[in-house]
Amino acid sequence: MSTATPLNRAELARRTGADETAAPVRIVHLGLGAFQRAHQAWYTDAVDESREWGIAAYTGRSPQAAEEIAAQDGLYNLVVRAVDGDSASVIRSISRAVDGGDLDDLVSTIAAAPTAVVTLTITEAGYRLTADGQPDESDEQVRTDLAWIATHLGDAALGDDVDLANGPGSTLARLLVGLEARRRADAGPIAVVSCDNMPSNGDFIRSGLLALAEHATPALRVYLAEQVSFVSTSIDRITPKTVQDDIDTVAELTGWADRSPVVTEPFSDWVLSGEFPAGRPAWENAGARFVEEIEPFENRKLWLLNGAHTLLAYAGAARGHATVAEAIGDPICRAWVQEFWDEAVAHLPAEGLDLKTYRAALLDRFDNGRIQHRLAQIGMDGVTKLRVRIAPILLAERAAGREGEGAARALAAWVQAVRAGNVPADRADDKVKTAASETGILPLLSVIDPALAADAGAVAAIEARLADFA
Ligand code: CS2
């Protein structure tokens, strides 16, 4: 990691002397955004002393982030915001920032032999997969992309150059096209690393890609099975959206006029499980851990950190709070989080996870009021988040013969927010609206997980907790 030399509001770019030349691209990232820049790009920058591992980072839906960062030649400041102050450094690992809509660029970069790793931060909902890892065919884009794959990557098209005009719009379909191009180029194996908050995210993306590839050639399925390694990860660093104040802070702190800094917390964690057949940066030198068995780490993080976030996003907002720090400072919300955690830890292994220390550290992180983590940001895409962060705890509590009041409350808070029209944007909005117009809470719970709606005790527990938000 390099430290920026304070200049007088100098434009941050390689050409203005903020860095030497960009490292050659060996990593493709899908989902350029604040989290990736605080996490994977930071790890890569921190360990890549010989500058061998450049990242080509592609945006998701809007090209704006790519434009801003490309104007700075990929450079940006990372501000680490501790309880007692800020420190900033320039991160140099993004060699190219590209509009994700530029499919030609994406496909040729995935197919290039030096590319060894594809990482993704596209949000849970961005996979457009159902809970069991199948393409969500209720999504129009998915249906369009499946038809495109059948036409362009099916047997009939084998041997032709893939025509990318009007190519697929969903990220997994785009990735599949890139992998097909890599196969055709005989560019060798590659690792695909999902860095989104889902259990077994490596298996999840593998099953999604294989299902899409059912419509393509058998040769692509063989390539996916034999040459593509799907790595599962648990990723952690609380990173709110950048606001104008952060831009001003960076100018004060570093002297760089940076249009696109990122603010994050001091804590960072990355647990990975899987092979990297074409190599990888030595991320362990910055604290990443490579493990055989990732599930306990994943569940600990997903249930305790993300589960509490999702609970606070709706229950805290219902009590008038705007940020995580405000909500956790409210003794009622704090007790609700503790009750939810007591339920969740009953379903984690007692050994090796140091749950007491982990919970105490989480409270410290949530209490850091200098990080303005907005509940409205966390509350977005609630359907997919509740499905993996809360529903499993309630179902496990019910299976153990208990009511699961803490987990039921998080679901009740969401139901209340939907009914009040206060729920932040969700890709499943249409389904949620339709379900909310029907009678009772069953249709809404079915949107999250049909198993919830099928469990009369779970439904009763959620209904009872609605009283907390009356
Ligand atoms: C948050 C996460 O927005 C959300 O859903 O729960 O982004 C959370 O801050 C990160 O996973 C922390 O590592």
Side-chain angles (χ1 to χ4, degrees), residues 25-27 52-53 110 112-118 182 187-192 223 226-229 231 274-281 283:
V25 169
R26 299 209 56 205
I27 301 175
E52 288 168 39
W53 288 94
I110 294 175
T115 302
V117 179
V118 177
R182 188 172 179 89
I190 193 163
V192 170
Y223 177 73
E226 293 180 355
Q227 307 238 30
V228 184
S229 169
V231 178
E275 301 303 314
F276 287 81
R280 60 167 173 81
W283 290 315

Side-chain angles (χ1 to χ4, degrees), residues 100-256:
D102 189 342
L103 202 51
D104 277 310
D105 190 308
L106 174 65
V107 167
S108 59
T109 310
I110 294 175
T115 302
V117 179
V118 177
T119 52
L120 296 95
T121 52
I122 61 172
T123 76
E124 300 86 331
Y127 288 77
R128 300 178 196 248
L129 298 176
T130 57
D132 54 354
Q134 294 302 300
D136 180 0
E137 294 197 38
S138 70
D139 181 321
E140 194 183 333
Q141 184 69 59
V142 169
R143 290 197 303 275
T144 309
D145 290 353
L146 284 170
W148 190 94
I149 290 168
T151 314
H152 294 85
L153 304 185
D155 286 316
L158 249 192
D160 301 343
D161 273 343
V162 180
D163 172 14
L164 295 179
N166 303 313
S170 59
T171 309
L172 291 200
R174 288 177 174 173
L175 172 57
L176 190 74
V177 180
L179 293 171
E180 168 65 357
R182 188 172 179 89
R183 180 191 74 75
R184 291 182 188 200
D186 206 10
I190 193 163
V192 170
V193 188
S194 165
C195 300
D196 284 295
N197 291 312
M198 293 155 325
S200 311
N201 47 19
D203 293 338
F204 189 66
I205 186 169
R206 184 208 331 254
S207 77
L209 283 173
L210 280 172
L212 290 175
E214 285 298 319
H215 301 260
T217 60
L220 177 54
R221 291 195 288 282
V222 171
Y223 177 73
L224 290 178
E226 293 180 355
Q227 307 238 30
V228 184
S229 169
F230 293 93
V231 178
S232 276
T233 63
S234 174
I235 66 281
D236 193 3
R237 195 165 208 185
I238 291 172
T239 308
K241 204 167 172 253
T242 303
V243 294
Q244 183 60 44
D245 269 359
D246 303 328
I247 295 175
D248 300 341
T249 304
V250 164
E252 290 296 314
L253 198 65
T254 69
W256 292 114

Side-chain angles (χ1 to χ4, degrees), residues 35 39 124 197 235-240 265 267 269 301 305-307 309-310 365 373-374 377-380 385 389:
F35 179 73
H39 194 272
E124 300 86 331
N197 291 312
I235 66 281
D236 193 3
R237 195 165 208 185
I238 291 172
T239 308
E265 62 171 341
F267 180 92
D269 194 23
K301 192 266 170 170
L305 189 153
N306 297 114
H309 263 176
T310 290
R365 293 169 66 194
H373 201 184
R374 304 200 73 74
Q377 183 187 347
I378 298 168
M380 285 167 74
K385 290 181 181 175
R389 301 174 178 193

